[in-house]
Amino acid sequence: MNLKILNQVKELGLSHKNITYHVNTYNRFPVEFTKGKGAYLFDSDNNKYLDLLSGIAVTGFGHNKKELVEAAKNQVDKLWHVSNLFLSSPQEQLGKKLSEISKLDKVFFCNSGTEANEAAIKFARKWGNGRSTIIAAQGSFHGRTMGSLSASMQEKLWEGFQPLTPGFVSVPYNNTNAIKNKIDNTTVAILIEPIQGESGIIIPDENYLREVRNICNENNLLMIVDEIQTGIGRTGKHFAHQYANITPDIITVAKGIANGIPLGAVICSEKVNAAITPGSHGSTFGGNPIAVSVANKVLDLLTEDVLSQIIAQGNYIKQQLLKENLSGISDIRGKGLMIGIEFNKEIEVKDLALKLLQNKIIVGTAGNNVLRLLPPFIITNEEVDFFIETLKIVFD
Ligand code: PLP
């Protein structure tokens, strides 16, 4: 933990346990959560916190959801690992569900978002048969391993890790002319987030994704949509790109797909699948039976009613925030339950998040001074009101 945060922690009177063994990859908050129920997490002293972050867009159905716990437990009792060299009915069931909601054909299972994007990059290059360049957008975040990191167009993420993997070029987000100008005879795919999450909930123009789809069609390129943060209901549709009425060639998902059990997936068209041969990619743990059984239940629970509820609750949060007209807020934006509240420079959003934590509310931060809300789908109006009342107090 860095000194600034440590001092803030002391000032705020939060208890701090020194973290000694973990590599210095996180500025961790000084709280340890030991159990969860619904929209709440409980710390080691049994204090109750309202969770508006959901493990960064993961636990959409909240913590300790009965049906999901049962799905995991049933599978643990039967079989918890089998090599991908053998058939798997839970994987087949999940593959069918994912292909139905995406209108695509085939699924590859892995363990995380970054792995899903690595696989998508490899699949695209294999399909390209010699063409290898992938166009990605400035401000994008696609993961931390070398391929997905090289596709993440934020220089600060690259510091100390050069040389990057070659074959990635960047264009400004939400600018289709820039894409057209970058295409050459080495280009194979365009990799895009439908909403940039890590960069601060950046929503492109309504026709952006449709135009990218057209550009891909006209130039025989694959359209890869990274739905790792936006997918599996988060924005009120199964996938955020569905707002644009398009079908990508490849979709990557992870985070919310198994409500917190590690699972990632690449969903692709038959034409992409046709380029892939046995042995060209794989994963020992990918599509683990426990994770896949939970994911099957997640997709069963994600009904049209739940999707409508996600939209309604997202609108409620935005409306109530707008009503308060809090000074210091420069923008409130989002789709479904993926919401960014952007603050003026005078307000340090990281301090705000820490003060909310002291008041037993968990939020995230992203991009340029943006408070990020990714609440569970089960969030109630009363819980939203509690958040807004607390935000007002913290402001004062
Ligand atoms: N892509 C997007 C859009 C993400 O938001 C993230 C994680 O925040 C990733 C990829 C990487 O996922 P993971 O952390 O599971 O590797």
Side-chain angles (χ1 to χ4, degrees), residues 2-143:
N2 74 22
L3 206 59
K4 189 173 169 226
I5 296 224
L6 242 173
N7 286 336
Q8 283 169 331
V9 164
K10 280 186 197 147
E11 268 169 39
L12 293 170
L14 290 163
S15 71
H16 168 247
K17 289 181 186 152
N18 227 345
I19 299 153
T20 43
Y21 289 109
H22 198 287
V23 169
N24 195 24
T25 49
Y26 302 102
N27 271 329
R28 284 186 157 172
F29 287 106
V31 181
E32 181 178 354
F33 296 113
T34 49
K35 74 185 179 205
K37 187 79 201 151
Y40 294 93
L41 281 168
F42 297 82
D43 71 12
S44 37
D45 297 323
N46 217 24
N47 294 306
K48 184 176 171 185
Y49 295 69
L50 177 61
D51 183 4
L52 301 184
L53 186 60
S54 307
I56 317 187
V58 172
T59 48
F61 285 96
H63 301 282
N64 212 355
K65 172 94 177 152
K66 190 168 160 272
E67 293 91 329
L68 301 179
V69 173
E70 272 167 13
K73 280 186 175 164
N74 287 342
Q75 191 59 48
V76 166
D77 284 340
K78 280 198 259 173
L79 177 72
W80 68 12
H81 174 79
V82 66
S83 165
N84 277 314
L85 293 171
F86 301 95
L87 294 174
S88 161
S89 313
Q91 283 185 3
E92 282 304 304
Q93 283 161 21
L94 183 58
K96 184 167 186 286
K97 288 174 193 174
L98 288 172
S99 72
E100 277 167 8
I101 60 172
S102 65
K103 300 197 175 71
L104 289 173
D105 308 302
K106 301 283 180 183
V107 184
F108 172 81
F109 293 109
C110 51
N111 309 283
S112 68
T114 200
E115 277 181 54
N117 283 331
E118 290 293 334
I121 292 163
K122 284 181 70 179
F123 291 177
R125 287 187 172 170
K126 194 94 166 124
W127 173 84
N129 194 24
R131 289 184 293 154
S132 61
T133 306
I134 294 174
I135 297 175
Q138 281 159 23
S140 60
F141 183 78
H142 298 295

Side-chain angles (χ1 to χ4, degrees), residues 56 111-115 117 141-144 193 195 197-198 226-230 254-255 372:
I56 317 187
N111 309 283
S112 68
T114 200
E115 277 181 54
N117 283 331
F141 183 78
H142 298 295
R144 304 273 189 181
E193 287 162 89
I195 297 173
E198 297 304 302
D226 178 339
E227 292 269 7
I228 284 154
Q229 194 162 145
T230 48
K255 285 194 182 278
R372 178 165 47 161

Side-chain angles (χ1 to χ4, degrees), residues 233-237 243 304-320 335-339 375-381 384:
R234 175 56 52 193
T235 69
K237 288 196 184 279
Y243 280 99
E304 287 303 322
D305 282 352
V306 173
L307 292 172
S308 305
Q309 173 75 3
I310 290 167
I311 294 173
Q313 290 313 94
N315 288 340
Y316 183 73
I317 295 176
K318 284 185 283 189
Q319 272 162 21
Q320 297 306 101
K335 269 208 169 97
L337 286 170
M338 182 173 187
I339 294 174
F377 307 157
I378 50 173
I379 192 90
T380 62
N381 288 1
V384 173

